[in-house]
């Protein structure tokens, strides 16, 4: 059992739907963030969705952060919040304009 920042390492995490070229090439994450997300992202997803139970205090704090919508405190929690923001929150853009045509008065 390998721990990375207090989280049990699971299989590598890839999100081909939102980041088809990978986390590194997306431009949204720096190299360290992309590597960390690849290493522990699968475990974070499983903890968030309650597929598995937390095994230590760090994982319990992460689950609490996910369920109560608290702000992240650790590097991993902040990274997960960033990932969630990029993948689950769709931005809304409204295009509102009018065409003003000046007519000539004869």
């Amino acid at each position: 059992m390998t721990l990375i920042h207090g989280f049990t390492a699971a299989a590598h995490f890839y999100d081909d739907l939102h980041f088809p070229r990978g986390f590194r090439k997306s431009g949204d994450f720096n190299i360290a963030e992309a590597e960390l997300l690849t290493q522990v992202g699968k475990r974070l997803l499983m903890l968030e969705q309650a597929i598995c139970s937390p095994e230590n205090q760090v994982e319990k704090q992460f689950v609490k952060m996910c369920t109560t919508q608290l702000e992240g405190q650790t590097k991993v929690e902040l990274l997960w919040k960033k990932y969630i923001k990029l993948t689950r929150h769709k931005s809304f853009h409204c295009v509102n304009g009018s065409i003003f045509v000046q007519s000539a008065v004869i």
Side-chain angles (χ1 to χ4, degrees):
M1 176 170 81
T2 305
L3 291 178
I4 301 171
H5 289 277
F7 292 89
T8 306
H12 284 255
F13 178 62
Y14 303 103
D15 185 354
D16 293 333
L17 179 63
H18 297 101
F19 302 98
R21 298 181 316 150
F23 298 121
R24 284 186 184 199
K25 293 185 179 180
S26 70
D28 295 314
F29 302 100
N30 62 34
I31 295 171
E33 289 175 336
E35 186 67 28
L36 183 59
L37 190 57
T38 301
Q39 291 174 343
V40 296
K42 182 106 175 163
R43 178 71 176 173
L44 300 178
L45 182 65
M46 292 184 337
L47 286 169
E48 182 191 36
Q49 295 178 350
I51 296 171
C52 62
S53 59
E55 295 181 2
N56 57 39
Q57 189 59 37
V58 175
E59 291 183 351
K60 288 178 185 176
Q61 177 61 33
F62 176 79
V63 171
K64 183 179 178 183
M65 186 241 359
C66 291
T67 56
T68 60
Q69 300 301 320
L70 293 174
E71 290 296 319
Q73 301 297 319
T74 66
K75 184 178 183 177
V76 175
E77 290 173 354
L78 293 172
L79 176 60
W80 190 252
K81 287 284 191 178
K82 182 177 180 178
Y83 171 78
I84 295 301
K85 182 180 177 187
L86 291 170
T87 58
R88 297 188 189 159
H89 299 294
K90 299 292 181 186
S91 59
F92 178 75
H93 299 283
C94 180
V95 178
N96 187 9
S98 61
I99 300 174
F100 180 73
V101 178
Q102 195 170 18
S103 60
V105 179
I106 300 179

